[in-house]
């Protein structure tokens, strides 16, 4: 189990950081996957965007399912026992540690997010099997050195790690900067480590319109990218079949699971 974290006890301090006057991506996404950890502004924006582009609900749901399949593949077929999940979001069903430890109870998972509402719910992410361990870091994607330093208290960074960044890199406006952040994080991980990324993509007029509406809302902007830009995050890595694909089409587990077309692409790549 994770060591006791005193920062999780400062509930008043955490609550003071939560701004309910504007929507927030973690709460907005939570609303779309049927969660209850959201506020009126998040629901209002969610309902507006559902009118513009109902398909975003499918993106939220199927991206979560992609996470489960990727983690099961890594923990099961590839024998990965360490996971660094950046941009965790709010706890829902089948979080990374639950999926990984179901396959391999000795898996160790570190979650990273800087949203105060996620922090307030972090205890739900700190459950673990007796054989494994989970930890939570209150840190920013833009500070990879801090992430790696703190993660090393739970993970052995000399052994392979799966770096997971789902629906988060779109918050980085410049693609070159987003690539640099991914490169810096992967550079600190050894050969045999994996990168898992999925993000919403500018692959339909509806998704582009939904993104523009979201960015007008006062929330931290989210920029949808081309499939080619998603693929560029994996430069220098060996892509796991089927490569960069719609999240519904990445190793579907039922015959009709890939029938839904979504504006979200993901991949898993191995560091040689």
């Amino acid at each position: 189990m994770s060591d006791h974290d005193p920062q999780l006890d400062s509930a008043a301090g955490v609550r003071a950081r939560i701004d309910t006057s504007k929507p927030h991506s973690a709460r907005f996404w939570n609303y779309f996957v049927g969660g209850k950890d959201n506020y009126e502004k998040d629901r209002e924006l969610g309902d507006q965007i559902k009118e513009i582009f109902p398909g975003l609900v499918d993106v939220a749901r199927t991206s979560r399912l992609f996470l489960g399949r990727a983690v099961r593949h890594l923990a099961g077929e590839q024998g990965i026992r360490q996971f660094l999940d950046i941009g965790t979001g709010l706890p829902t069903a089948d979080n990374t540690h639950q999926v990984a430890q179901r396959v391999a109870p000795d898996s160790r998972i570190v979650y990273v997010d800087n949203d105060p509402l996620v922090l307030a719910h972090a205890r739900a992410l700190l459950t673990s099997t007796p054989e494994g361990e989970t930890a939570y870091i209150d840190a920013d994607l833009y500070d990879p050195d801090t992430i790696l330093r703190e993660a090393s208290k739970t993970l052995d960074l000399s052994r392979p790690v799966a770096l997971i960044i789902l629906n988060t890199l779109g918050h980085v406006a410049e693609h070159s900067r987003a690539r640099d952040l991914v490169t810096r994080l992967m550079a600190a991980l050894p050969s045999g480590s994996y990168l898992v990324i999925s993000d919403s993509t500018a692959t339909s007029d509806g998704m582009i319109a939904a993104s523009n509406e979201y960015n007008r809302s006062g929330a931290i902007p989210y920029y949808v990218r081309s499939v080619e830009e998603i693929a560029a995050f994996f430069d220098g890595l060996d892509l796991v079949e089927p490569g960069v694909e719609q999240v519904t089409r990445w190793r579907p587990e039922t015959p009709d699971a890939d029938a839904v077309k979504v504006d979200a692409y993901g991949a898993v790549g191995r560091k040689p």
Side-chain angles (χ1 to χ4, degrees), residues 14 53 65 216 237:
V14 170
F53 182 54
L65 295 173
R216 283 193 291 267
L237 304 180

Side-chain angles (χ1 to χ4, degrees), residues 67-204:
L67 169 67
R69 296 196 304 278
V71 171
R72 277 192 294 278
H73 170 74
L74 293 173
E77 296 179 45
Q78 303 303 331
I80 296 297
R81 296 294 180 265
Q82 303 191 110
F83 297 82
L84 178 57
D85 186 338
I86 300 178
T88 303
L90 286 155
T92 60
D94 278 352
N95 300 292
T96 297
H97 74 283
Q98 293 165 321
V99 176
Q101 291 182 344
R102 205 174 293 142
V103 176
D106 58 336
S107 296
R108 304 168 77 84
I109 295 88
V110 172
Y111 292 105
V112 183
D113 210 302
N114 69 337
D115 174 51
L117 189 63
V118 177
L119 176 60
H121 288 267
R123 284 196 189 281
L125 295 172
L126 295 180
T127 58
S128 176
T129 57
E131 304 96 323
E133 186 169 357
T134 63
Y136 180 93
I137 302 171
D138 181 14
D140 196 296
L141 174 64
Y142 293 104
D143 190 3
D145 292 341
T146 295
I147 290 173
L148 292 163
R149 183 184 68 246
E150 294 301 311
S152 69
K153 297 176 182 177
T154 302
L155 308 179
D156 177 357
L157 300 187
S158 69
R159 295 173 53 239
V161 174
L163 172 63
I164 301 171
I165 314 177
L166 264 56
N167 305 300
T168 298
L169 290 166
H171 286 303
V172 183
E174 305 85 7
H175 181 248
S176 59
R177 188 174 187 191
R179 281 189 66 182
D180 178 64
L181 291 168
V182 172
T183 299
R184 288 171 63 187
L185 288 161
M186 286 303 294
L189 305 180
S191 172
S193 292
Y194 285 83
L195 174 65
V196 183
I197 287 176
S198 75
D199 255 314
S200 302
T201 48
T203 41
S204 75

